[in-house]
Amino acid sequence: MAHFFIREKKLSFFVEFPKMGRADLRDFKKGIDESFKDFTREYGEAIEHFFDPLLYFLVWLEKLFLNTPWPIIMVAIAVLVYFGSRSLKLTIGAVLAFLVIGYLDMWEDTMATLAIISVATIVCISVGIPIGILMARSNRAQTLITPILDVMQTIPSFVYLIPVVMLLGIGKVPGLLAVCIYAIPPIVRLTNLGIRLVDKDVMEASEAFGASYSQKLLGVQIPLALPNIFAGVNQTIMMALSMVVIASMIGVKGLGVPVLRAISNQYLALGVMNGLAIVVLAILFDRVSQKFGKRLQAHTESMK
Amino acid sequence: MTSASASKKSTKNEISPIITINKLNKWYGKFHVLKDIDLEVNKTEKIVICGPSGSGKSTLIRCINRLEVHQEGSIIVDGTELTDDVKQINEIRSDVGMVFQHFNLFPHLTVLENCTLAPIWVRKKSKLEADEMAMELLTKVKIPDQAKKYPGQLSGGQQQRVAIARALCMQPRVMLFDEPTSALDPEMIKEVLETMIELAESGMTMLVVTHEMGFANKVADRVIFMDEGQIVEQNDPKNFFNNPKSDRTKLFLSQILNH
Ligand SMILES: Nc1ncnc2c1ncn2[C@@H]1O[C@H](COP(=O)(O)OP(=O)(O)OP(=O)(O)O)[C@@H](O)[C@H]1O
Ligand SMILES: [Mg+2]
């Protein structure tokens, strides 16, 4: 090889990028695929069982949302929105929006979407906040985890759908995982940031009377970081909603399914209607959680 | 010399040091902040520490509850030496109250909660017990009616008095003050100093970094002058102010007294 380059075609090195041999490359990729397939065969079932509780929970929530008579759900939504936002205008808006959604025959899909968003948010919060705390506690953890978060946020979702589907097949759980992978970075980042931004002086006050690590964390850092953590939750919900259509491609029920049908059959109205329903959900979640976050912040603000 | 001057003042009290600092040295990187500090503080003694900015006053008192870590020498608080042992550090910290220049109250908690947090966490008191004591101390610093407010709603002077009450709720054996009045408007300085004078009269052991020479004159058993990380001079207030020995002390006094 070397001989060939130097003597005969010295220039070709510059003109053509030095590539791995075609056969080598094929073997290389095949090797990866094969070993992942082996891994799947070996552990796929165990991993699937690991996620069973999540599946049961999602199915249970979906059934609950769907089997509860719609007026009761409506009342529940109104109560939640009101207590989240303390805004009558927003509450009336939410009720009207859901009435229109139901009237246009999107009730069931909307309930399914609400179920998966709720479960994804719960998963993201319960996994993301501890990771965020870990990152805030250790600089090494931060330098290790930050690039992973970068990858999770920028890699095209279709790329990680491949291994997820290979491992778990098509269904609710892989869909849920895909949503969580995409939606978890903001809550991790903002938990980390929020804790790191807590005033050093205030931390010192708690140190000065001999508080333990967990007391400082739970009593001072997390309460003071709450507005930031809450901004993270808000963003996580938004990102989960934006994954609804992609999740539908691998078997998640909800508003994404009719959108996909609309794309392949060129049903303009169907696509727009369901798309707008997703937008309405997003706006409601956003406004309510922002108002709630502002209330959390109220007395901290008067400090400055 | 330290014990000699101390024994003169605290005649009615047993002479036993509650803080013993021996050949203390501390560096920030290459910068030598504290140089061979020796200091004994007796029970109920009131010490005022003064000196120019950057002389290491804050660093010294922060070493006493290990908010700063020293590299050489020893600090013994109430019979326990400060080492890396976290349990010991927390034990000492719970017995040493600290009041900061900028109050450092917990903004997310009410005044009452600020005061009860540490007793409930560290002293394992019931909420009822802690509330009762906090109210008592808030009454002592004359702000019981503010108990339900948040720190952000109080004036600077009120906040500092809350901070003092908060520290006292732990029933500390020593109180450290780092320039407690220098972030306050003049009209509020008085109310905080009055609180501190009352505390001094109640027999608390106090180390106070301050430039309030009126306070030093009235309360201190001993005034310590620090410069460039060293204790340059220490004496009872009368002698300290009237015939300072070192030139550096004279210069410093002329600067702050003409102020
Ligand atoms: N974390 C730190 N890192 C490096 N240097 C520091 C640090 N903290 C303090 N110093 C330096 O140590 C010296 C002593 O600081 P210290 O805060 O103890 O002074 P001070 O006597 O309390 O002054 P002031 O009256 O301004 O409060 C100063 O020169 C300061 O710049
Ligand atoms: Mg200072």
Side-chain angles (χ1 to χ4, degrees):
Chain A
M1 272 298 252
H3 174 83
F4 171 82
F5 272 131
I6 295 162
R7 293 284 296 284
E8 327 259 344
K9 286 207 177 170
K10 214 171 188 176
L11 266 181
S12 83
F13 180 83
F14 293 100
V15 175
E16 230 175 277
F17 203 92
K19 276 188 287 202
M20 196 169 168
R22 188 167 297 188
D24 287 344
L25 192 59
R26 195 186 52 219
D27 289 345
F28 174 65
K29 290 186 202 160
K30 214 171 169 181
I32 292 180
D33 288 0
E34 285 304 321
S35 48
F36 190 74
K37 272 183 197 150
D38 287 343
F39 174 79
T40 306
R41 236 169 273 132
E42 193 79 17
Y43 298 106
E45 210 161 319
I47 294 176
E48 231 179 294
H49 284 311
F50 175 78
F51 289 114
D52 272 352
L54 217 55
L55 180 64
Y56 296 143
F57 181 47
L58 179 56
V59 170
W60 175 79
L61 201 66
E62 240 177 49
K63 278 205 181 120
L64 179 74
F65 283 174
L66 280 172
N67 295 343
T68 310
W70 68 268
I72 296 182
I73 298 261
M74 207 62 108
V75 170
I77 289 170
V79 167
L80 280 178
V81 170
Y82 185 74
F83 279 98
S85 67
R86 297 285 156 86
S87 151
L88 209 59
K89 232 162 79 187
L90 200 58
T91 312
I92 293 170
V95 170
L96 284 180
F98 274 90
L99 283 176
V100 172
I101 283 175
Y103 190 64
L104 294 177
D105 192 25
M106 296 185 288
W107 184 263
E108 290 185 5
D109 286 334
T110 304
M111 288 303 116
T113 294
L114 272 185
I116 189 157
I117 298 299
S118 309
V119 176
T121 306
I122 292 169
V123 171
C124 286
I125 290 174
S126 47
V127 176
I129 290 182
I131 296 177
I133 291 170
L134 178 76
M135 277 172 85
R137 190 179 182 182
S138 131
N139 283 333
R140 189 185 305 177
Q142 182 178 244
T143 42
L144 224 93
I145 295 170
T146 306
I148 300 176
L149 294 178
D150 293 338
V151 171
M152 285 165 76
Q153 271 183 310
T154 49
I155 197 169
S157 344
F158 292 107
V159 174
Y160 58 75
L161 283 187
I162 303 165
V164 168
V165 170
M166 277 169 81
L167 201 59
L168 298 170
I170 298 254
K172 288 185 204 303
V173 167
L176 184 65
L177 273 192
V179 173
C180 288
I181 293 174
Y182 184 70
I184 206 171
I187 177 92
V188 177
R189 276 187 213 277
L190 280 154
T191 302
N192 174 34
L193 185 76
I195 291 179
R196 280 176 187 264
L197 284 182
V198 170
D199 190 1
K200 208 180 121 279
D201 285 352
V202 174
M203 285 311 296
E204 220 160 52
S206 59
E207 244 150 64
F209 58 67
S212 70
Y213 178 78
S214 58
Q215 288 171 333
K216 280 185 281 188
L217 182 71
L218 295 176
V220 183
Q221 285 177 305
I222 291 195
L224 286 174
L226 220 49
N228 269 317
I229 295 178
F230 215 76
V233 174
N234 175 8
Q235 283 189 30
T236 289
I237 297 175
M238 293 298 111
M239 293 181 70
L241 267 170
S242 68
M243 272 294 278
V244 161
V245 176
I246 291 177
S248 298
M249 295 177 65
I250 56 172
V252 173
K253 280 196 247 164
L255 290 166
V257 177
V259 171
L260 284 182
R261 197 149 29 92
I263 293 173
S264 47
N265 297 319
Q266 302 185 357
Y267 294 149
L268 174 65
L270 181 72
V272 170
M273 265 159 48
N274 284 277
L276 284 181
I278 296 176
V279 171
V280 165
L281 286 186
I283 292 176
L284 280 179
F285 270 122
D286 184 61
R287 295 300 180 276
V288 173
S289 64
Q290 268 189 19
K291 286 235 163 77
F292 185 72
K294 273 225 181 82
R295 276 222 317 284
L296 282 180
Q297 220 167 350
H299 42 255
T300 321
E301 253 170 13
S302 63
M303 190 77 178
K304 298 281 138 78
Chain B
M1 178 208 151
T2 311
S3 55
S5 68
S7 62
K8 247 187 285 162
K9 292 301 289 184
S10 47
T11 39
K12 58 176 186 281
N13 300 302
E14 52 187 310
I15 304 153
S16 53
I18 190 157
I19 299 173
T20 311
I21 298 176
N22 235 321
K23 287 259 169 294
L24 178 71
N25 278 286
K26 173 170 177 60
W27 287 265
Y28 282 122
K30 285 208 169 122
F31 179 59
H32 200 168
V33 225
L34 296 177
K35 301 168 188 162
D36 282 332
I37 304 277
D38 285 314
L39 181 65
E40 270 188 10
V41 182
N42 292 318
K43 271 184 193 144
T44 76
E45 199 178 9
K46 286 95 186 120
I47 294 182
V48 164
I49 303 172
C50 59
S53 181
S55 55
K57 310 175 298 286
S58 299
T59 310
L60 174 62
I61 68 164
R62 288 162 59 83
C63 277
I64 294 172
N65 61 1
R66 212 164 175 93
L67 289 179
E68 301 287 347
V69 178
H70 63 273
Q71 281 91 26
E72 273 178 21
S74 67
I75 301 176
I76 297 165
V77 181
D78 209 10
T80 315
E81 186 174 348
L82 272 171
T83 57
D84 288 330
D85 182 13
V86 179
K87 220 170 166 188
Q88 264 180 25
I89 293 174
N90 280 345
E91 220 173 281
I92 289 174
R93 281 176 176 171
S94 69
D95 280 335
V96 176
M98 178 119 184
V99 175
F100 302 87
Q101 185 176 0
H102 298 286
F103 334 130
N104 302 8
L105 295 173
F106 303 118
H108 61 298
L109 300 178
T110 63
V111 164
L112 186 66
E113 288 164 344
N114 261 280
C115 293
T116 56
L117 190 68
I120 291 172
W121 276 359
V122 180
R123 295 269 187 256
K124 311 287 175 212
K125 290 214 158 126
S126 70
K127 184 165 171 346
L128 205 72
E129 230 180 324
D131 278 356
E132 213 165 85
M133 187 166 65
M135 281 316 295
E136 199 176 296
L137 285 161
L138 285 173
T139 311
K140 255 193 190 139
V141 301
K142 303 193 180 67
I143 34 175
D145 44 331
Q146 314 283 353
K148 293 274 177 281
K149 288 195 184 163
Y150 286 94
Q153 299 166 302
L154 304 186
S155 74
Q158 290 174 323
Q159 290 191 41
Q160 193 60 298
R161 284 184 282 152
V162 172
I164 293 173
R166 173 177 72 175
L168 290 175
C169 280
M170 285 292 280
Q171 297 171 305
R173 322 203 46 171
V174 184
M175 286 280 284
L176 309 174
F177 295 81
D178 191 358
E179 308 204 31
T181 56
S182 58
L184 296 176
D185 294 337
E187 69 269 22
M188 295 172 188
I189 292 179
K190 205 171 140 243
E191 60 186 53
V192 171
L193 286 180
E194 273 167 10
T195 308
M196 289 170 64
I197 290 169
E198 268 170 39
L199 181 61
E201 283 163 356
S202 76
M204 177 62 74
T205 311
M206 294 162 72
L207 264 91
V208 186
V209 175
T210 183
H211 291 161
E212 294 294 332
M213 289 307 141
F215 174 81
N217 228 332
K218 188 158 185 184
V219 179
D221 296 310
R222 216 187 330 161
V223 182
I224 291 178
F225 174 66
M226 281 184 77
D227 194 14
E228 295 181 352
Q230 286 169 311
I231 293 182
V232 176
E233 185 167 347
Q234 51 180 319
N235 217 328
D236 57 89
K238 212 181 222 167
N239 284 315
F240 182 84
F241 291 116
N242 295 334
N243 43 47
K245 293 181 199 91
S246 108
D247 289 339
R248 282 197 272 180
T249 317
K250 282 176 200 159
L251 180 68
F252 175 75
L253 284 176
S254 74
Q255 276 167 351
I256 58 164
L257 293 178
N258 294 337
H259 207 58

